[in-house]
Amino acid sequence: DEHNKKGVGGKITLCTGQECLSVVPTTTDQGETVTLVTAKDVQSSKDTTVKEYTANLVVGADGMNSKVRTCLANASPTTWSTTCLKSTKFLPKKYTSPASYLRIKVLQLPPQFQIPNTSDKPPFTTFSEDIYALRSAFTGPRSFLSLGLLPMKDNTAVRPTNIITRPDHEVWKIHDGPSMREYFQRAFPRFNFQDKENGGMISNEEWERFAKAEGTRFPPCQYSPGLAVWDKSGSTGVALVGDSIHAFSPDIGQGVNAGLMDVV
């Protein structure tokens, strides 16, 4: 909005909550060559209207499963300039890293929760801008847990806690709140993970939500050899950025760095 209000350098239209169906060059009634994007709403099942957008430059920033990239991969050889990379170059190449396919879901801990200390020392009160990694009493490959907390600005907000495990971990076989709470109590005996009536730090509702959550999986590393296309006149085209051209699992540590390099 700030850019568009200045009225300099063209207008930017941000499309969110929509899935790209096609992206092709076209000619307007005024004889201008532009890129035509057709898309549908994916946030509302009631809205089945196909929307159309035109632009001189389309930037595909729709993630590792990019529909914009898929449209380019499926394009006929004559759709874009033959000086561009072939459409098959937009089929991502995938590589496995040690973190690929690990499973993750998030448990919400209360703000400024306390970490119990030994009997002769007071508990330690957590602070939102600090990083914590809390290890379980379980040590087996399918039972070991670690509560990972990344820093955040608001010290009064709940603390999202990452639970990252191998795909066959025991925690994924638990689907109800009471059983999940009991499992975590045995895994972290120094914490009070009992129900709220017994002073537990996490509500029964949160245990139930966490138990039923499917979470997600870390992807393989992947990249698209094709980065952009343009029409025969060179006046319009499509460029991919971010995860749509390169996606990394967290152990590689290059996701944000690569995204910043895209726009430098």
Side-chain angles (χ1 to χ4, degrees):
D1 290 343
E2 181 180 349
H3 170 85
N4 292 338
K5 288 178 181 178
K6 293 180 180 179
V8 179
K11 180 183 178 181
I12 297 175
T13 300
L14 177 64
C15 300
T16 60
Q18 298 180 55
E19 179 181 305
C20 180
L21 301 176
S22 68
V23 52
V24 295
T26 190
T27 303
T28 67
D29 295 338
Q30 292 73 35
E32 180 186 8
T33 302
V34 295
T35 297
L36 172 66
V37 178
T38 59
K40 67 177 182 179
D41 195 318
V42 294
Q43 292 183 330
S44 173
S45 58
K46 297 180 180 179
D47 187 358
T48 59
T49 306
V50 174
K51 301 175 176 63
E52 293 187 347
Y53 306 90
T54 57
N56 293 321
L57 173 64
V58 174
V59 178
D62 52 339
M64 65 174 296
N65 297 315
S66 171
K67 297 299 183 181
V68 177
R69 186 188 65 229
T70 300
C71 289
L72 298 180
N74 294 333
S76 69
T78 58
T79 302
W80 300 97
S81 170
T82 54
T83 60
C84 304
L85 292 169
K86 295 179 180 179
S87 61
T88 54
K89 293 293 185 179
F90 291 94
L91 297 174
K93 298 182 180 295
K94 299 183 179 183
Y95 303 89
T96 300
S97 81
S100 295
Y101 309 111
L102 292 180
R103 298 186 68 175
I104 175 174
K105 61 178 174 178
V106 175
L107 178 66
Q108 303 283 6
L109 295 184
Q112 304 171 51
F113 70 91
Q114 292 187 329
I115 301 176
N117 218 319
T118 54
S119 57
D120 59 338
K121 294 182 180 180
F124 176 81
T125 301
T126 58
F127 182 65
S128 66
E129 295 188 7
D130 292 335
I131 300 175
Y132 302 97
L134 310 174
R135 313 302 190 192
S136 71
F138 297 157
T139 58
R142 294 177 179 83
S143 61
F144 172 77
L145 288 171
S146 179
L147 307 181
L149 295 93
L150 296 175
M152 51 188 291
K153 197 66 178 175
D154 189 353
N155 197 38
T156 63
V158 296
R159 293 299 302 271
T161 306
N162 296 318
I163 313 295
I164 303 172
T165 73
R166 53 192 293 169
D168 57 351
H169 194 282
E170 294 172 348
V171 75
W172 300 103
K173 300 176 182 179
I174 306 172
H175 303 292
D176 66 275
S179 297
M180 185 67 77
R181 186 180 65 235
E182 189 272 335
Y183 185 85
F184 268 71
Q185 186 63 77
R186 289 189 291 112
F188 299 93
R190 288 165 62 184
F191 283 97
N192 185 354
F193 284 152
Q194 299 301 313
D195 54 37
K196 276 291 188 178
E197 289 74 13
N198 292 313
M201 59 190 291
I202 299 175
S203 69
N204 295 341
E205 292 77 15
E206 173 58 16
W207 283 119
E208 195 68 28
R209 182 207 62 81
F210 177 75
K212 288 181 166 50
E214 290 296 323
T216 188
R217 297 173 187 262
F218 289 144
C221 300
Q222 68 177 44
Y223 80 95
S224 168
L227 306 180
V229 294
W230 50 91
D231 77 311
K232 295 177 182 178
S233 68
S235 58
T236 189
V238 182
L240 302 176
V241 297
D243 284 353
S244 63
I245 51 174
H246 45 64
F248 303 95
S249 53
D251 57 317
I252 304 299
Q254 291 298 314
V256 173
N257 295 329
L260 291 174
M261 287 299 297
D262 291 344
V263 296
V264 172

